[in-house]
Amino acid sequence: MGALKSAKVAPAKVTKAQIDAEADRREKILKQDKPKESDVVALDETVPISENVNRIVHEGHSARDVEEALSILSVQENPSDIDKHPEKRVRAAYSTFEEREMVRLKAEYPNFRLSQLKQMLKKEWQKSPDNPFNQPTRSFNTK
């Protein structure tokens, strides 16, 4: 059993002369591996260099913070059209959506249970444009 265990081997000591010899050997290898002039690729000056798109100055609006950027990118012309409190209209909007879509789902899936149909309705509601939370809202702190 004792023969099965491997004996730990202590690392060999390295002298300063061995370290210097190894450093010299590495320097020689690096000098040999330097590219020759024939290996250097010349740049083709006839090919135009494309302009850096990160440095292009765009005409028109500029934004210094997130709110300005959002106002520039907003689709709506009139900010008063934005709903401030969509959570107040969710229940009524969902009930009208459910009445309208339940008829369609019952026709498509006549063998499904009501609970299965309601699960499908809920998934469709999350993506629906009728859902007030999917419409643009105004931030609480904006005036």
Side-chain angles (χ1 to χ4, degrees):
M1 285 301 238
L4 293 178
K5 291 184 180 179
S6 62
K8 292 184 180 180
V9 178
K13 293 185 179 181
V14 181
T15 64
K16 178 74 172 157
Q18 289 173 334
I19 294 173
D20 291 338
E22 181 66 24
D24 291 339
R25 187 182 64 79
R26 287 184 183 166
E27 285 180 22
K28 287 180 185 177
I29 292 172
L30 287 176
K31 287 181 184 177
Q32 291 174 356
D33 289 343
K34 283 189 179 179
K36 299 175 186 173
E37 289 184 24
S38 62
D39 294 340
V40 177
V41 178
L43 294 176
D44 187 10
E45 295 179 7
T46 60
V47 177
I49 298 174
S50 62
E51 186 175 3
N52 185 352
V53 293
N54 294 327
R55 300 291 181 182
I56 295 175
V57 177
H58 294 284
E59 305 266 336
H61 303 288
S62 65
R64 299 280 180 204
D65 59 1
V66 174
E67 289 179 10
E68 290 178 9
L70 289 175
S71 67
I72 291 171
L73 295 173
S74 68
V75 177
Q76 293 183 338
E77 298 282 330
N78 190 0
S80 64
D81 293 342
I82 297 175
D83 192 7
K84 289 183 182 179
H85 301 286
E87 65 275 1
K88 292 181 179 179
R89 284 162 278 291
V90 172
R91 186 174 292 156
Y94 182 74
S95 63
T96 57
F97 176 80
E98 184 179 20
E99 289 172 8
R100 184 180 68 234
E101 296 296 318
M102 186 61 83
V103 176
R104 181 183 60 81
L105 284 176
K106 281 184 180 179
E108 285 182 26
Y109 306 101
N111 295 332
F112 277 22
R113 295 181 178 149
L114 184 62
S115 62
Q116 292 172 320
L117 293 171
K118 291 209 179 214
Q119 285 177 352
M120 291 176 70
L121 266 176
K122 185 177 179 186
K123 286 181 183 177
E124 288 182 12
W125 173 251
Q126 297 298 325
K127 301 174 192 172
S128 171
D130 297 338
N131 186 347
F133 287 117
N134 291 343
Q135 297 170 358
T137 59
R138 183 179 290 179
S139 176
F140 178 74
N141 293 328
T142 59
K143 293 181 181 179

